[in-house]
Amino acid sequence: YVVVDEAQNIKNDAAKQTQAIKKLNARHKIALTGTPVENRLSELWSIMEFLNPGYLGSGTDFRKNFAIPIERYRDSNRAESLKRLVQPFVLRRLKTDKTIIADLPDKMEMKVFCNLTQEQASLYEAVVQEMLAKIEESEGIERKGLVLSTLLKLKQVCNHPTQFVADGSALPGRSGKLARLEEMLEEALEEGDKALIFTQFAEMGTLLRQHLQETLGREVFFLHGGTPKKQRDIMVQRFQEDRRGAPLFILSLKAGGVGLNLTAANHVFHFDRWWNPAVENQATDRAFRIGQKKNVQVHKFVCIGTLEERIDQMIEQKKELAESIVGSGENWLTEMSTAQLKELFALSREAVGE
């Protein structure tokens, strides 16, 4: 037997790690993963190539027959064909299935709609005007890069002006999201609850930690890609075991989204959105897993009237396809026409709070 846990780590067929694992000989091979597809269907192909070499054809054949039709053209017939091919080899187990785990509490997911401040709205408009002018004049790889850069900048503006400008200025009163987060965390702390706060930006995590410690008067942990393993293990142990210890744990999505057991928390906040349901669910599952004794409340922050709300709506529409076999990264957004991007980035009147 060869059993590969966290099998999404062999999703890149060209990686040395993947190549080494595929050289292991065994009559029986098992791959365990919560996210067989995070961004591209080629990841599913790579895992299947480990399990049953050649079953889904070569990488080139797979791209032509499945990846391009499904990812680029949303071909539901091809998606259904692929699902039929892989289903005999997939044993899917959901934690929400009471026959699998009888005593796991409920998970309640909710959107938290936030307004922008006047300052955020001004910055947002300036970024849109500047970047659309550049996108209109570019093409190919350069255009894709500019679209992704625009997404990044607008996400930063929606989080906080200080993150976008990177000038170290004061945080209070300048971000609708931050004000809402403070209110909700105060309520959770009054109930004696603990919370995880996910952000994809390490710099935002640093700002949040300092600000929340000052305003809430409680110790706050922050785990990011540069956190040494020994320090990470101490933080996790203290968060899990110490009732009087830090009740709030900020995690960078990529560093803290997998492999951690943080069931002491029963609130999960996605401060900014990674527009990929598989990655967000993996992060939520740090708290919603075996050992959790309370119902878990998942709060997904969305700035109303901005690209955050529109992309959230688009993902909801695509979720059926995504949940069958497809993961949604951000690259599909780079294929949009300039007219579609204008509509996507436009700031609606309801975006700004009173």
Side-chain angles (χ1 to χ4, degrees), residues 4 7-8 10-13 18 22 29-33 36-37 40-59 62 66 81-91 325:
V4 178
Q8 70 274 9
I10 60 168
K11 66 187 180 184
N12 180 357
D13 187 56
T18 308
K22 286 182 177 176
K29 296 177 182 177
I30 298 170
L32 305 172
T33 177
V37 180
R40 297 176 194 85
L41 280 177
S42 59
E43 299 165 4
L44 177 65
W45 175 84
S46 185
I47 294 171
M48 288 298 295
E49 184 66 9
F50 158 70
L51 294 168
N52 290 317
Y55 179 69
L56 293 177
S58 67
F62 182 80
F66 296 107
S81 298
L82 179 56
K83 188 178 178 182
R84 277 199 303 270
L85 280 170
V86 299
Q87 231 167 9
F89 304 98
V90 175
L91 191 61
I325 48 172

Side-chain angles (χ1 to χ4, degrees), residues 92-106:
R92 194 175 182 207
R93 290 290 177 260
L94 298 173
K95 281 180 292 202
T96 49
D97 185 343
K98 296 296 182 188
T99 62
I100 305 300
I101 307 171
D103 59 348
L104 194 67
D106 289 333

Side-chain angles (χ1 to χ4, degrees), residues 123-306:
L123 285 170
Y124 189 103
E125 289 279 33
V127 169
V128 169
Q129 287 172 18
E130 179 197 353
M131 297 305 287
L132 277 176
K134 291 180 180 177
I135 288 166
E136 278 180 344
E137 294 168 11
S138 63
E139 55 185 35
I141 294 286
E142 185 193 2
R143 184 180 184 279
K144 285 189 174 189
L146 284 168
V147 173
L148 290 173
S149 173
T150 308
L151 291 172
L152 186 74
K153 289 178 178 183
L154 293 178
K155 279 184 181 182
Q156 291 173 330
V157 171
C158 287
N159 276 359
H160 201 289
T162 299
Q163 186 196 352
F164 175 67
V165 181
D167 60 354
S169 54
L171 300 191
R174 299 169 64 200
S175 161
K177 268 189 187 180
L178 183 60
R180 190 74 189 98
L181 179 68
E182 275 180 56
E183 289 170 9
M184 294 180 76
L185 287 176
E186 276 181 10
E187 290 171 14
L189 292 175
E190 280 174 16
E191 294 292 323
D193 293 340
K194 291 190 174 190
L196 308 180
I197 303 146
F198 285 99
T199 171
Q200 63 193 273
F201 302 103
E203 65 271 22
M204 192 66 223
T206 302
L207 293 171
L208 282 173
R209 178 173 186 253
Q210 188 177 349
H211 177 74
L212 293 174
Q213 284 196 152
E214 289 171 2
T215 55
L216 300 175
R218 304 293 292 272
E219 187 182 8
V220 180
F221 290 143
F222 175 36
L223 187 152
H224 53 85
T227 308
K229 184 181 183 305
K230 187 177 179 183
Q231 190 181 338
R232 183 188 73 178
D233 292 346
I234 290 169
M235 285 193 293
V236 169
Q237 185 177 359
R238 282 192 57 205
F239 184 80
Q240 284 290 92
E241 295 176 4
D242 189 350
R243 284 187 183 177
R244 296 176 305 282
L248 305 177
F249 205 145
I250 300 167
L251 305 105
S252 93
L253 195 64
K254 280 299 187 186
V258 293
L260 294 176
N261 182 4
L262 297 168
T263 50
N266 61 309
H267 288 270
V268 178
F269 292 86
H270 292 280
F271 187 73
D272 45 62
R273 305 292 301 284
W274 190 274
W275 289 313
N276 179 331
V279 174
E280 284 194 343
N281 289 340
Q282 276 271 67
T284 296
D285 287 350
R286 298 315 94 217
F288 185 64
R289 60 196 299 120
I290 295 168
Q292 179 56 260
K293 299 287 186 274
K294 296 180 179 180
N295 290 336
V296 175
Q297 296 183 48
V298 184
H299 315 278
K300 297 182 176 184
F301 280 40
V302 178
C303 281
I304 200 166
T306 70

